[in-house]
């Protein structure tokens, strides 16, 4: 899955805190349980995506406050289990990887860190040396909207990546990035969000806790309700400012106004559905 996804994990997306098991032994670790939070009526428990002849299903689990603690993919892989450690072998050296996350009182992420430490002891690799660490910070405005994110890498040769969300009247209007440099490719993100068009003249109320374009996937499969307040309305058009292409979304809602299906297509070819998504809420 995932056109237009850059690697943070796609944090997307973005990314974030990865791998399979929570470390429940360290009671001093912040679990990110909100002190006070306005809960949505329903939460997304399953998302099925159909794209390019492939189907992927993602299921979600939440804590007692309704904040997401884990998502599981159809291949058995699990993500977003906050504040835990895992062990793997990288470059012939056994390493322990720590995923540490700090939260605001409402459960939204403010700092996300990944720290790699050698645990193989030898005269060449001292115990617990730190070969690499990566940290991403998140800033929110006074309304609880995510407005800025910045990566900080222990490898000073790695370029710093920044991301900006621009809001107006409770909705994201633009999502921008600094120049993102990959091995043989570099690009910038500049997407414009629209909530009405010639087909949808009245904005659709967003009753969900989906924050669109967090991080990098305009198909929003990187769902997580830990990035602040969501948009007031459901976007119906996302425009790539650089090349002028426009993706449109047709929403199907249930009786409570929650989306149960979204179909994506380019505005100049409305009969070709490039992505179909099915949502299950509980």
């Amino acid at each position: 899955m995932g056109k237009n996804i850059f690697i943070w994990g796609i944090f997307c997306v973005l990314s974030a805190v990865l791998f399979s098991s929570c470390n429940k032994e360290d009671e001093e670790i912040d679990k990110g349980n909100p002190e006070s939070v306005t809960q949505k009526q329903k939460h997304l428990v399953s998302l099925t995506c159909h794209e390019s002849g492939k189907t992927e299903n993602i299921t979600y689990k939440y804590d007692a406050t309704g904040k997401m603690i884990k998502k599981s993919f159809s291949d058995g892989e699990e993500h977003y289990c906050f504040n835990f450690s895992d062990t793997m072998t990288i470059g012939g050296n056994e390493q322990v990887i720590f995923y540490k996350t700090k939260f605001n009182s409402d459960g939204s992420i403010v700092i996300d860190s990944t720290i790699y430490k050698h645990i193989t002891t030898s005269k060449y690799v001292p115990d617990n040396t730190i070969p690499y660490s990566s940290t991403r910070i998140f800033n929110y405005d006074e309304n609880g909207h995510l407005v800025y994110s910045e990566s900080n890498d222990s490898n000073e040769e790695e370029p710093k990546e920044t991301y900006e969300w621009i809001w107006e009247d409770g909705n994201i209007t633009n999502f921008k990035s600094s120049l993102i440099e990959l091995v043989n490719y570099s690009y910038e993100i500049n997407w414009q969000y629209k909530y009405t068009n010639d087909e949808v003249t009245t904005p659709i109320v967003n009753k969900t806790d989906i924050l669109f374009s967090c991080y990098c996937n305009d198909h929003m499969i990187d769902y997580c309700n830990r990035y602040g307040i969501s948009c007031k309305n459901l976007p119906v058009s996302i425009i790539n400012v650089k090349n002028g292409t426009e993706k449109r979304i047709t929403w199907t809602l249930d009786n409570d106004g929650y989306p149960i299906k979204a179909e994506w297509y380019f505005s100049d070819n409305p009969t070709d559905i490039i992505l179909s998504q099915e949502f299950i809420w509980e």
Side-chain angles (χ1 to χ4, degrees), residues 31 40 84 86 95 101 112 142 156-157 183 203 273:
K31 299 302 180 183
K40 297 288 183 177
F84 72 105
D86 200 0
Q95 294 184 342
T101 309
D112 220 354
E142 65 277 6
E156 296 181 355
E157 295 181 359
V183 177
I273 304 300

Short mmCIF file of all heavy atoms in Angstrom, two decimals, residues 31 40 84 86 95 101 112 142 156-157 183 203 273:
data_model
loop_
_atom_site.label_atom_id
_atom_site.label_comp_id
_atom_site.label_asym_id
_atom_site.label_seq_id
_atom_site.Cartn_x
_atom_site.Cartn_y
_atom_site.Cartn_z
N LYS A 31 2.90 5.80 29.95
CA LYS A 31 2.01 4.98 29.12
C LYS A 31 1.13 5.82 28.20
O LYS A 31 0.40 5.28 27.39
CB LYS A 31 1.13 4.09 30.00
CG LYS A 31 1.92 3.11 30.87
CD LYS A 31 2.80 2.20 30.04
CE LYS A 31 3.57 1.23 30.92
NZ LYS A 31 4.49 0.38 30.16
N LYS A 40 -14.58 10.42 21.18
CA LYS A 40 -15.54 10.29 20.10
C LYS A 40 -16.53 9.19 20.46
O LYS A 40 -16.28 8.32 21.28
CB LYS A 40 -14.82 9.95 18.80
CG LYS A 40 -13.85 11.03 18.32
CD LYS A 40 -14.58 12.24 17.80
CE LYS A 40 -13.62 13.29 17.28
NZ LYS A 40 -14.29 14.46 16.69
N PHE A 84 8.42 0.53 24.58
CA PHE A 84 8.81 -0.86 24.76
C PHE A 84 10.18 -1.04 24.13
O PHE A 84 10.76 -0.12 23.55
CB PHE A 84 7.79 -1.81 24.12
CG PHE A 84 7.80 -1.82 22.62
CD1 PHE A 84 8.36 -2.89 21.92
CD2 PHE A 84 7.25 -0.77 21.90
CE1 PHE A 84 8.36 -2.89 20.54
CE2 PHE A 84 7.25 -0.79 20.51
CZ PHE A 84 7.81 -1.84 19.83
N ASP A 86 12.85 -4.01 21.96
CA ASP A 86 12.91 -5.23 21.17
C ASP A 86 14.38 -5.51 20.86
O ASP A 86 15.22 -4.61 20.93
CB ASP A 86 12.10 -5.08 19.88
CG ASP A 86 11.72 -6.41 19.27
OD1 ASP A 86 12.08 -7.46 19.85
OD2 ASP A 86 11.07 -6.42 18.21
N GLN A 95 21.49 -6.10 18.88
CA GLN A 95 21.16 -4.79 19.42
C GLN A 95 19.80 -4.83 20.09
O GLN A 95 18.93 -5.60 19.71
CB GLN A 95 21.13 -3.73 18.32
CG GLN A 95 22.48 -3.46 17.67
CD GLN A 95 22.40 -2.34 16.67
OE1 GLN A 95 21.33 -1.97 16.23
NE2 GLN A 95 23.55 -1.79 16.31
N THR A 101 8.24 7.15 24.02
CA THR A 101 7.27 8.16 23.59
C THR A 101 6.81 8.96 24.79
O THR A 101 6.52 8.40 25.84
CB THR A 101 6.05 7.51 22.92
OG1 THR A 101 6.48 6.59 21.91
CG2 THR A 101 5.15 8.57 22.28
N ASP A 112 8.83 11.33 20.08
CA ASP A 112 8.91 9.93 19.69
C ASP A 112 10.37 9.62 19.40
O ASP A 112 10.97 10.22 18.51
CB ASP A 112 8.06 9.70 18.44
CG ASP A 112 7.31 8.40 18.50
OD1 ASP A 112 7.54 7.64 19.44
OD2 ASP A 112 6.49 8.15 17.60
N GLU A 142 -2.87 26.24 20.27
CA GLU A 142 -3.69 26.37 21.47
C GLU A 142 -5.03 25.64 21.36
O GLU A 142 -5.71 25.40 22.36
CB GLU A 142 -3.95 27.85 21.78
CG GLU A 142 -4.77 28.61 20.75
CD GLU A 142 -3.94 29.10 19.57
OE1 GLU A 142 -2.74 28.75 19.49
OE2 GLU A 142 -4.51 29.82 18.72
N GLU A 156 24.68 13.41 12.25
CA GLU A 156 24.55 14.81 11.84
C GLU A 156 24.57 14.99 10.33
O GLU A 156 24.20 16.05 9.82
CB GLU A 156 25.67 15.64 12.48
CG GLU A 156 25.59 15.69 14.00
CD GLU A 156 26.68 16.55 14.61
OE1 GLU A 156 27.55 17.01 13.84
OE2 GLU A 156 26.65 16.75 15.84
N GLU A 157 25.00 13.96 9.59
CA GLU A 157 25.00 14.05 8.14
C GLU A 157 23.60 13.88 7.56
O GLU A 157 23.35 14.25 6.42
CB GLU A 157 25.94 12.98 7.55
CG GLU A 157 27.41 13.19 7.91
CD GLU A 157 28.30 12.14 7.30
OE1 GLU A 157 27.78 11.24 6.61
OE2 GLU A 157 29.53 12.22 7.49
N VAL A 183 17.96 8.01 -1.20
CA VAL A 183 19.24 7.62 -1.80
C VAL A 183 19.42 8.22 -3.18
O VAL A 183 20.41 8.88 -3.48
CB VAL A 183 19.35 6.08 -1.86
CG1 VAL A 183 20.66 5.69 -2.56
CG2 VAL A 183 19.30 5.49 -0.46
N PRO A 203 -20.02 21.06 3.22
CA PRO A 203 -19.00 20.27 3.93
C PRO A 203 -19.62 19.11 4.70
O PRO A 203 -20.70 19.23 5.29
CB PRO A 203 -18.35 21.29 4.86
CG PRO A 203 -18.62 22.61 4.23
CD PRO A 203 -19.96 22.49 3.57
N ILE A 273 -11.40 4.02 -10.11
CA ILE A 273 -11.21 4.08 -8.66
C ILE A 273 -9.80 3.57 -8.34
O ILE A 273 -9.49 2.40 -8.57
CB ILE A 273 -12.26 3.25 -7.91
CG1 ILE A 273 -13.67 3.71 -8.30
CG2 ILE A 273 -12.05 3.35 -6.41
CD1 ILE A 273 -13.96 5.14 -8.00
#
